[in-house]
Amino acid sequence: MVEPILQISNLVKNFGALRATDGVTLDLRPGEIHALIGPNGAGKSTLIHQICGTLRQDSGSIRFAGQDVGGLSVAERARLGLGRTFQVSSIAPEFSALRNVMLAAQAKEGSSFRFFNPVMRDQGLIDKAMAMLERVGLTERARIPAAELSHGERRQLEIAMALALRSKAFLLDEPMAGMGPEGSKALTRFLDTLRQEAPILLVEHDMDAVFALADRISVLVYGRVIATGTVDEIRRDPTVRSAYLGDHD
Amino acid sequence: MLLQVENIATFYGSSQALFGVDFAMQEGEAVALMGRNGMGKSTTIKSICNLMPPHSGRIVFGGKPTDRQPPHKVARLGIGLVPEGRRCFPNLTVHENLVAAARPGQWTLERVNDLFPRLKERHAQMARSLSGGEQQMLAIGRALMTNPRLLILDEATEGLAPVIRQDIWSAIRRLKDEGLSILVVDKTLSELLPVADRCVILENGKSAWSGKPADLTTELQDRYLGV
Amino acid sequence: DPVKIGMITTLSGGGAGLGIDTRDGFMLAIKNAGNKDITVVTEDDAQKPELAVQIADKMIQSDKVDILTGIVWSNLLMAVAPSAVAQGKFYVSTNAAPAQLAGANCHKLYFNAAYQNDNLHEAMGEYANKGFKKMFILAPNYPAGKDSLTGFKRYYKGELAAEVYTQVGQTDYAAEIAQMRASGADGIFVFLPGGMGIAFMKQFAQSGVKIPVMGPGFSFSQDVLPAIGDAALGAKASGQWAPDFDNEASKKFLADFQKEYNRLPSIYAVQAYDAAQLILAAASKASVSDADAFAAELKKAEIQSPRGNFKFNTNQHPIQDIYLTEVIKKDGVLTNKTVEKIFTDHGDAYAKDCKL
Amino acid sequence: MILTRENLINLILAVALLAIPLIANAAGQPFYITLATRVAILALAATGLNLALGVGGLVSFGHAAFFGIGGYVAGILASHSFSGEPVLFGLSGTNQMWIIWLVAMALAGFVGLAIGAISLRTSGVYFIMITLAFAQMVYYFAVSWPAYGGEDGLSILVRNQFPGVMTMVPMNFFLICYVILLVGIALFAVIRASRFGAALQAARQNEVRVATVGIQPYRIRLTGFVLSAMITGLAGALFADLNRFVSPSMLSWHMSGELIVLIILGGTGRLFGPLAGAALYVAFEYALGGITERWQFFLGLILLLVVLFARGGLVGLLAGKAKHG
Amino acid sequence: MTIALALEQLLNGIQLGVMLFLMAAGLTLIFGVMGLINLAHGSLYMVGAFACAAVAAWTGSFWIGLVASLVAAAAAGAIVELAVIRRLYDRDHLDQVLATFALILMFSEGTRWLFGSFPLYLDIPPLLQGAVALPGGTEYPVYRLAIIAAGALVAFGLYMLISRTRLGMRIRAGESDREMIGALGVDIRTLYTVVFALGAALAGFAGAMVGAIQSVQVGMGEPVLILAFVVIVIGGIGSIKGALLGALLVGVTDTMGRFLLPKLMVLFVPPAQAGAIGGAVASMLIYIVMAIILAVKPRGLFPPAHA
Ligand SMILES: Nc1ncnc2c1ncn2[C@@H]1O[C@H](COP(=O)(O)OP(=O)(O)OP(=O)(O)O)[C@@H](O)[C@H]1O
Ligand SMILES: Nc1ncnc2c1ncn2[C@@H]1O[C@H](COP(=O)(O)OP(=O)(O)OP(=O)(O)O)[C@@H](O)[C@H]1O
Ligand SMILES: [Mg+2]
Ligand SMILES: [Mg+2]
């Protein structure tokens, strides 16, 4: 079996009396899309937060790329190659789409302490960023301030930023949310190719996309993984149906 | 007519987002507002609520023009908004979110709690720490508590789990059956269309098509919605 | 010969009262003299040293004044005066009198028509020797405050119950008053100018502590007395002047001032009045363009000061009498009454260091 | 460089600041040179703050501390040079401006590092207040520390020297300040446009986002804060030399507030905002002060009108909204 | 040093704390709840003190003056809100700083225009004059006890208003999203005017109460402003409880510092300098305490659960 790139074991996070993640064990293997689904409030975003470091776990361990990252800061984990998007889009609103992506590209180069060369004349950086924008289909919107992008466009922008980081794994928290049918389809196609670049931990409520993309699915309910399996296994699982899917088919 | 949107044009600063949106709604009707990303659905809704007052054109709600009215007056005419991105008050508890702007009427705390039992469980929690889906329920509950004549839902089920989504749709259907008028934006056509009495499609900030869901052919869907 | 005087003083903000009295006293003397050759330009320093410097530069460079005057506060004076005299301009101080400029750093063109900062405190130290065995002394923690207590101790021979420094601008004195009560002192000396003094006296009166309070004149000067109210009654202070002075110059000054401005003058007005008189006297004898001659005339100028005897010491600071005053109520108005003379022809401790 | 409207305005401002003293000099009105020098120095101080505040969004209400530290470095070194007594550990004072500048920048930077390291743990209004708290500590220390004059301040008897220049001649000293200001502004422009500048701006807009692309916002901000402190400290040293005097009032919260006001007045984050703001403020202060004793009232009124009706400050009013590329 | 003195000083510290709270209360309301940095708070405090002094001098009654201070400050607050503040809510904090800084200049100079440059007389009412005996033999001014009572009352009232009423919820909702609360049909504009006027009235009330034992003069509001900010930041912005506890902490620290530090210094330096050095450290003490607290707890001692 291939060594997983991301390995989470027994992760626990409490908010006061509420146990938001309750001993989650999960892994992400090279080349796969691992979908994480579950009812609202199950703890999916909380889990993503812990993996990328915006929340600190109460106990349990997170290994990434052969290293224990549980104690590292957000920035350090990002530099190791954890790329993520947020459930509610998070961008630098005054910057254009292009500069947002350039920021990620410069971070990837680890060169934020250069004080002299103007970034906007740095053709290398611009080209890299434009390439990413092109991949998500935002070329035409490159020079628009991110604040003026529509909801869907911001999601695309976030993905472009994760791409520019050349991440070793992607953590995508509901990337389809707010995208129209057309956008969802395009994004689905795009994620399908993205898995060659790096594996994806995909949190998503859009079941069409999940079923089309996922190699494996884990179902999180009340902070616990109640089932892990292939699309078919999960679709057939009665507990999953009642807890999450309803009569979706 | 409950709501008439007459050829409105709306600007964000100097950039124009709406170029002539035009449609009307009857009392008790459920209208689906559709269109691709960035076509102006949310802007139309903001214009109706006078959050982004239209530059030209006219909006009449319940027989009263809404121009030059501050948003709170427009809201009191009977519009309840569930905005894009939810916008719950993060520093208020669930309970406080619900009652802060409540106006008397048939919708009470009990009824909202019946509709979304999850909110009852979380009633003392700060809204900022709710999960996305919980926030969506809260936003709907909050709008209902103002006892509107017209409920506007922008991205009604965004980010909701399938089971909950079904709950929300059935709730919307129930609200409609009770006679509430509903203007709704949602991207899941398969769930949206059965609820809607009529569809209005926007393209590039203009009304492009309007008609019954049954008349929305796959060809039209492909052309306007990219399905 | 024409003489142009630049007056920089505080006309806005919390300290404006002192500046306004300074300006009014000064202008009263100028007006009385009716000398067409004298012009005065006035500007507000807002009690900010940087602004005072800017105004001084402007007055020297643009208005081409010959003499600067009017600054109330030591820190502003230190910002302006040394550089003004270095540029060959006269500075005649109407109030501020830091020790530095009285001693080793005295200057031919720098005159002080008011006093030396320590004087009034020294007088209270001398007064306290009679009848007070254990004094509690208190001042704000800044140079003028430290000079004050140093001056007091220079003459006071008794025991000190405590020597307390408070924060500049402090408004609540409950903690200090409690210490006073507990200290076993039989007298209290405070130097708290402006609002600090008002707050202290009000709170002291409330506290039920019955120890006699004394201080330098400006603690109970006419600009603050109405605000303190009856709480000040009976307080002893030292001063070079009080409104009840029984000499012709004082009576005339008092009458003129009240006629002109419809209020009682404070000591700041008197000092400025005298500064103007000194300048006028020198201007009538010498041309200001001849600095040496003018300085010499200033130094030996004879004026009718409301204070009575007045002459300059070797360091060009006053030699004058200092009196004990007491706050009383006269015709419903709080004012100072002269009680006795403490010092006769009193100079200052720094004159010996001045090489003029 | 492309001649945008903003660049044109900047050019006019820079030329005007140079022209006014030249004209005044020719017309025998040397005071305006002093006034222009004051504008240049305050603009430099505000440019420093602008780096933290305008670019990095770090609303420091304590920059007077750096300004005053710069001032005291100039004052203390000069006074020791005058008296011949060593400052510390046998190091002697100096009256050479460029040494003073270096020391002022180093000390301001060092104190900035200490203050920043603690303050940057907080954010928002807490940051405003903690920077204020540190500045107040320095202020009260200076007021009550007797060695260098305490509240009374410290005079610099002869303006410090610069090789080959007669600094006592107002025009010469102005030119020194003017050149330093231009260098400061240029440095600001370069930093802002650099990769570091991009990270600093992004950290203002969205801290979490910056962290999730792998940049430590704390380090970026701390660096920005220290650079900002150094520039403001340098301005303080010049200011002391202009006034030939330094006192705790340079350290007071009013001073911090005034620096902020200059920036907003000129246009927050704008390259020439501090210069525009300083020129406007000093001009108002000077002109109104000559007209009426109530000048502070009218100064307030004018400031108020600027905030209400000239969004983006003077530069914003003239040049339109800032572009971020 | 006796135990009785130490206890008295502790009481003084608590009293100073309550006084600080009284001064900070209006600021907490406006700043913590509306999210507006109001540097002109000190000016409203001054307006209250001047109104009280002027009216008390005219009518001979402190109590009428006290009412006048509330009315004058509330009116000033309402006017300021309608004319200026209202336009600034959706701007960033910096514009608010500049605008309210401008207001300070105008208020100070305007007050001087109206009332002249000399401090005004304001004394405490006969009812509250004098001192009461405390156990342990010392006496304590009645008026200071009255201030403690007033502070406690204000704290309680504000707490109830903010956390228990719908008005409070709406204000807090408006703080996080003004547009949204308006879209739900709440007239947030008027509400904010009312709240601002209320905050101003509290400032005016504090000005009158505290002015009676301090100096009523132009510029009296500025030191208060800084202290009030320190207090609410230490306590945690937006929390009434935090403001009260922060104020008590500052009051006690400051009083005890002024009292004990000089005594402590005697152990290290000659007595003549001990007073001065001790005093210097004492004047920095609250800022030192504040810096330490924020360094350890970056959001104050009691960050409100909802901020
Ligand atoms: N900071 C917090 N304090 C208290 N409770 C929290 C906090 N953050 C999250 N929670 C709670 O933890 C639970 C898990 O939240 P989380 O956001 O991880 O859910 P989720 O699975 O992402 O849901 P959704 O699909 O709706 O986004 C929720 O019940 C939420 O209310
Ligand atoms: N705040 C804003 N400033 C400037 N332009 C904006 C702003 N918000 C939206 N726009 C622009 O207005 C147009 C319409 O946007 P709107 O948000 O109404 O679209 P939408 O149909 O709701 O899209 P989505 O499905 O992505 O939510 C878009 O081109 C968008 O870029
Ligand atoms: Mg989530
Ligand atoms: Mg939308």
Side-chain angles (χ1 to χ4, degrees), chain A residues 73-76 78-79 84 86 90-96 99 103 106-107 109 111-119 122 125 158 161 165, chain D residues 1 187 190-199 201-202 204-206 208-217 219-220 223 227 321 324-325:
Chain A
S73 74
V74 179
E76 285 162 337
R79 296 182 66 163
R84 79 171 285 203
F86 291 78
S90 175
I91 35 117
E94 290 170 18
F95 279 179
S96 63
R99 288 203 72 174
L103 186 73
Q106 99 178 31
E109 292 178 11
S111 55
S112 288
F113 283 93
R114 287 197 205 150
F115 298 93
F116 295 109
N117 296 331
V119 262
D122 189 336
L125 207 58
E158 279 209 306
M161 293 177 80
L165 284 172
Chain D
M1 183 177 281
L187 195 70
V190 168
I191 291 177
R192 188 178 61 173
S194 71
R195 291 186 176 206
F196 170 77
Q201 290 176 64
R204 160 168 57 85
Q205 299 169 43
N206 190 337
V208 181
R209 181 27 101 184
V210 171
T212 42
V213 297
I215 302 172
Q216 302 268 15
R219 287 189 200 161
I220 295 284
T223 311
L227 288 171
K321 270 186 77 175
H324 290 267

Side-chain angles (χ1 to χ4, degrees), chain A residues 216-229:
Chain A
R216 283 192 298 159
I217 299 179
S218 290
V219 185
L220 199 66
V221 177
Y222 286 116
R224 290 172 168 275
V225 179
I226 59 162
T228 300

Side-chain angles (χ1 to χ4, degrees), chain E residues 5-18:
Chain E
L5 178 59
L7 281 179
E8 186 183 356
Q9 295 293 32
L10 193 64
L11 187 59
N12 280 330
I14 292 170
Q15 187 277 137
L16 177 61
V18 176

Side-chain angles (χ1 to χ4, degrees), chain D residues 149-164:
Chain D
E151 161 116 345
D152 281 356
L154 178 65
S155 296
I156 301 173
L157 296 172
V158 185
R159 189 171 282 157
N160 293 305
Q161 290 163 10
F162 192 80

